[in-house]
């Protein structure tokens, strides 16, 4: 286990079969070397070499060998190990949240929350592991018909860069609880906490080879997905990459979970508690510098309250504390990496070209307002666009940064139709004080995760995932049982075999 003082990792190594992998080169300057950038100052803090195809094959073989024994292990043992891992995570909260903040740039308050959320996920599946089972059915003559829930085998998890620890835990906790092994590939931008998790599982008593972490970008991910040893792929990332991964998995008839992007609607009716609605819109757009898949970036506000809503929103957005993410009072850290930072600025320019009004923000933070140590950081001010229409690209395309588009509406039917007019279907929110309207509207919104009078709350008990172009399958809650197991049917005849054939 890494000590609290060893916060800054330098050379990272893949974690396979319960140990750090040997290095292919000693200099670290090989062609597969990649540097990790601290987004607060845009300088490298660690580096690693991508896992090679031969090492990937070895990792999958080790994983397969380990899984054959693990699937026979008593659920109570699996449960105890997961619970132990959750305890270790909580004991290392400070180290782990700092590591996550170093990789992602997300404020420490958020990454501390993720540590607790991750532990909750382990505790939850520790409980479910003991309850998993099939069903039995009454048959004629006392014969038996029943189902068995079986693990899938060797599974693969591929994560995005915004919530690396959460992604590694939302996939590995149910995978391991139900008797699978997993080879996880974190995002090439943010692999540190997944590697830490490998050590944590080992310390918790997980047998070697069941949780492995390999390093690299999409070529490494593709190599994993295409292996014959793999029976399931759980992918978190963009819709574009998801389509390619889905195609590769389909050609090998592999089970998939696809957790993809979105462009979610947040609808604010005129009877809403306005301060709560503003809080909801801020959470739905500014949290994690807007780098959240389910963000409610299309904010539909009833035209009778739009001016008041926008006034309050701008006033509170101006008060956000942007800066050092390791400071507990910071609300907004830097963007995670330079490409994403530039992408947001490009969309801000596009929005203006399309004719929307940039009411606030959307700029690099004034360097003179930042301490010297942060002057090269990837800091942006949140962008609020008004005068938007449904056909603008800033309204239709996922930006994955702090770019809120405000649209007005006058009628419930109208806003439902407009909210659903998207290829995505991950999240959707409604603010209203009319409880019947709240339920009526969410029941008609085409999204996998919906909220009434809040936004982006995702307890582990509730299945997580998207409809339409936002994905397939569910993580968390009972949704994960379907995602990480398969059913076997058994018919046991208790009498002579009935047949018309002559003896
Ligand atoms: P990305 O698609 O570029 O990469 C995601 C992961 O997939 C990375 O690990 C990457 O190396 C790997 N990858 C990319 N192409 C691949 C390929 N062809 N084969 C195998 N692996 C491949 O996404 P990103 O930029 O890292 O993350 C941002 C996206 O993720 C956004 O669209 C966001 O909405 C989405 N996201 C979705 C959820 C969810 O739960 N639905 C959660 C977080 C992020």
């Amino acid at each position: 286990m890494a000590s609290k003082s060893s916060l800054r990792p330098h050379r990272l190594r893949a974690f396979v079969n319960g140990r750090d992998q040997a290095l292919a080169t000693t200099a670290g300057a090989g062609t597969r070397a990649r540097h990790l950038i601290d987004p607060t100052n845009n300088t490298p803090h660690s580096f690693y070499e991508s896992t090679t195809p031969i090492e990937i094959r070895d990792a999958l073989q080790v994983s397969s060998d380990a899984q054959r024994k693990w699937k026979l292990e008593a659920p109570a043992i699996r449960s105890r190990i997961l619970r132990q891992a959750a305890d270790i995570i909580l004991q290392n909260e400070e180290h782990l949240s700092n590591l996550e903040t170093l990789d992602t740039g997300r404020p420490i308050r958020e990454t501390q929350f993720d540590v607790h959320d991750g532990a909750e996920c382990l505790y939850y599946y520790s409980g479910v592991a003991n309850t998993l089972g099939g069903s039995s059915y009454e048959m004629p003559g006392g014969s038996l018909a029943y189902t068995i829930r079986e693990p899938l085998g060797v599974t693969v998890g591929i994560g995005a860069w915004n919530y690396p620890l959460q992604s590694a835990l939302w996939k590995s906790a149910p995978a391991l609880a139900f008797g699978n092994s997993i080879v996880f590939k974190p995002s090439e931008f943010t692999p540190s906490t997944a590697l830490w998790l490998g050590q944590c599982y080992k310390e918790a008593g997980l047998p070697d080879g069941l949780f492995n972490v390999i390093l690299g970008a999409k070529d490494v991910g593709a190599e994993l997905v295409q292996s014959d040893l793999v029976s399931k792929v759980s992918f978190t990332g963009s819709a574009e990459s998801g389509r390619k991964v889905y195609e590769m998995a389909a050609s090998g008839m592999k089970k998939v979970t696809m957790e993809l992007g979105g462009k979610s609607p947040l609808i604010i009716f005129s009877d809403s508690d306005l301060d709560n609605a503003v809080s909801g819109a801020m959470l739905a757009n500014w949290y994690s510098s807007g780098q959240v898949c389910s963000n409610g970036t299309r904010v539909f506000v009833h035209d009778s309250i739009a001016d008041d809503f926008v006034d309050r929103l701008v006033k509170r957005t101006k008060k956000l504390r942007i800066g050092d993410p390791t400071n507990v009072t910071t609300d907004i850290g830097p963007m995670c990496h330079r490409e994403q930072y530039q992408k947001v600025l490009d969309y801000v320019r596009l929005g203006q070209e399309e004719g929307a009004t940039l009411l606030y923000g959307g700029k690099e933070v004034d360097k003179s307002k930042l301490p010297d140590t942060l002057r090269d950081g990837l800091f942006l001010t949140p962008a609020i666009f008004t005068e938007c229409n449904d056909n603008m690209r800033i309204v239709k395309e996922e930006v994955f940064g702090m770019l809120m588009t405000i649209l007005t509406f006058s009628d419930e039917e109208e806003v439902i139709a407009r909210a659903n007019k998207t290829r995505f279907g991950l999240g959707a929110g409604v603010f209203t004080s009319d409880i019947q309207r709240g339920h009526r509207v969410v029941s008609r919104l085409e999204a996998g995760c919906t909220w009434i009078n809040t936004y982006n709350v995702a307890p582990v008990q509730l299945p997580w995932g998207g409809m339409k172009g936002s994905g397939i399958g569910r993580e968390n809650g009972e949704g994960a049982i379907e995602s990480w197991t398969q059913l076997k049917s058994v018919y046991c005849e208790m009498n002579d075999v009935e047949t018309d054939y002559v003896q």
Side-chain angles (χ1 to χ4, degrees), residues 198-249:
Q199 299 288 356
C200 166
Y201 275 131
K202 187 177 173 76
E203 192 174 311
L206 188 76
D208 292 347
L210 291 172
F211 180 77
N212 308 280
V213 182
I214 63 164
L215 300 172
K218 63 181 177 185
D219 53 322
V220 173
E223 192 81 27
L224 274 181
V225 173
Q226 293 175 94
S227 165
D228 289 342
L229 285 173
V230 171
S231 53
K232 188 234 160 81
V233 177
S234 176
F235 176 85
T236 299
S238 64
E240 289 67 28
S241 310
R243 199 166 304 117
K244 290 180 192 142
V245 170
Y246 191 17
E247 278 169 14
M248 285 188 272

Side-chain angles (χ1 to χ4, degrees), residues 24 42 57 66 78 129 195 234 245 260 328 340 346-347 351 355 359 382 385 406 431 433 498-499:
N42 209 15
R57 247 170 281 150
R78 293 187 210 139
L195 290 170
S234 176
V245 170
L260 310 178
V328 284
Q340 195 57 29
D346 290 348
Y347 267 101
L359 193 65
F385 273 98
I406 296 182
F431 273 83
S433 56
E498 251 183 55
T499 171

Side-chain angles (χ1 to χ4, degrees), residues 158-162 185-188 216-218 221-222 235-239 241 244-245 248 259-262 293 398 400 426 464:
I158 297 179
W161 43 261
N162 56 339
K185 190 198 85 61
S187 164
E188 55 273 33
K218 63 181 177 185
F235 176 85
T236 299
S238 64
S241 310
K244 290 180 192 142
V245 170
M248 285 188 272
E259 299 288 354
L260 310 178
C293 48
E398 183 183 46
F400 213 53
L426 184 54
W464 178 266

Side-chain angles (χ1 to χ4, degrees), residues 178-460:
F178 304 149
N180 303 286
S181 61
I182 180 163
V183 179
F184 186 72
K185 190 198 85 61
S187 164
E188 55 273 33
F189 294 105
T190 55
S192 302
T193 49
L195 290 170
W196 185 95
L197 186 60
Q199 299 288 356
C200 166
Y201 275 131
K202 187 177 173 76
E203 192 174 311
L206 188 76
D208 292 347
L210 291 172
F211 180 77
N212 308 280
V213 182
I214 63 164
L215 300 172
K218 63 181 177 185
D219 53 322
V220 173
E223 192 81 27
L224 274 181
V225 173
Q226 293 175 94
S227 165
D228 289 342
L229 285 173
V230 171
S231 53
K232 188 234 160 81
V233 177
S234 176
F235 176 85
T236 299
S238 64
E240 289 67 28
S241 310
R243 199 166 304 117
K244 290 180 192 142
V245 170
Y246 191 17
E247 278 169 14
M248 285 188 272
S251 73
M253 207 55 82
K254 289 166 190 156
K255 193 169 171 123
V256 295
T257 308
M258 291 280 147
E259 299 288 354
L260 310 178
K263 190 76 188 180
S264 302
L266 170 59
I267 305 173
I268 299 174
F269 285 99
S270 56
D271 58 1
S272 307
D273 175 315
L274 213 51
D275 285 329
N276 272 329
V278 170
S279 297
M282 290 175 76
L283 272 177
N285 283 271
W286 310 151
Y287 198 80
S288 306
S289 299
Q291 301 163 124
V292 184
C293 48
S294 51
N295 267 358
T297 46
R298 290 185 293 143
V299 181
F300 291 93
V301 188
H302 192 270
D303 46 21
S304 64
I305 55 162
D307 290 346
D308 197 2
F309 175 86
V310 169
D311 278 353
R312 295 187 201 202
L313 172 72
V314 172
K315 237 178 241 149
R316 285 178 61 186
T317 299
K318 280 182 180 166
K319 290 185 192 159
L320 290 171
R321 294 157 295 190
I322 304 176
D324 182 356
T326 62
N327 187 332
V328 284
T329 61
T330 295
D331 299 309
I332 309 273
M335 299 300 291
C336 179
H337 59 78
R338 181 157 285 285
E339 290 92 317
Q340 195 57 29
Y341 171 85
Q342 192 53 49
K343 183 178 172 190
V344 175
L345 288 173
D346 290 348
Y347 267 101
V348 169
R349 204 191 53 244
L350 176 70
Q352 292 169 293
E353 286 166 9
E354 286 182 307
T357 301
L358 178 60
L359 193 65
Y360 179 77
K363 297 182 173 60
E364 298 172 31
V365 169
D366 182 353
K367 305 266 183 229
S368 67
K369 297 204 171 117
L370 292 170
D372 286 351
T373 49
L374 303 181
R375 294 235 164 115
D376 293 324
L378 305 172
F379 295 95
L380 292 175
T381 53
I384 301 173
F385 273 98
T386 56
E387 311 299 325
C388 302
N389 70 55
D390 297 348
N391 296 320
M392 291 174 172
R393 283 181 57 198
I394 57 163
V395 176
K396 292 197 294 193
E397 297 172 13
E398 183 183 46
V399 179
F400 213 53
M402 295 178 288
L403 194 159
M404 185 193 295
T405 61
I406 296 182
L407 304 127
T408 55
F409 71 96
S410 55
D411 171 78
E412 185 178 311
E413 279 303 314
E414 168 214 335
V415 78
I416 291 171
R418 288 171 62 197
N420 286 337
K421 216 177 117 201
T422 167
R423 71 189 170 104
F424 295 112
L426 184 54
V430 177
F431 273 83
T432 176
S433 56
D434 176 344
I435 197 69
Q436 284 156 324
R437 168 151 59 194
H439 290 290
R440 182 171 69 236
V441 173
V442 291
S443 76
R444 293 183 58 198
L445 291 173
E446 294 163 1
C449 305
T450 62
W451 294 275
I452 302 173
N453 292 334
T454 189
Y455 205 85
N456 267 347
V457 181
V460 66

Side-chain angles (χ1 to χ4, degrees), residues 28-98:
T31 52
R32 297 176 71 84
R34 185 178 180 107
H35 283 90
L36 299 182
I37 305 296
D38 177 349
T40 63
N41 55 27
N42 209 15
T43 53
H45 66 77
S46 312
F47 67 95
Y48 62 83
E49 285 190 40
S50 296
T51 312
T52 65
I54 291 173
E55 290 165 339
I56 294 170
R57 247 170 281 150
D58 288 349
L60 288 166
Q61 189 57 56
V62 158
S63 188
S64 172
D65 296 343
Q67 194 269 335
R68 247 176 267 132
K69 294 184 202 127
W70 183 240
K71 72 177 178 187
L72 303 175
E73 193 59 270
I77 303 280
R78 293 187 210 139
S79 166
R80 200 181 62 209
I81 291 170
L82 294 195
R83 207 167 51 243
Q84 181 70 18
D87 291 344
I88 295 171
I89 282 178
L90 292 180
Q91 285 153 17
N92 287 272
E93 180 200 308
E94 191 188 340
H95 174 73
L96 200 44
S97 54
N98 275 306

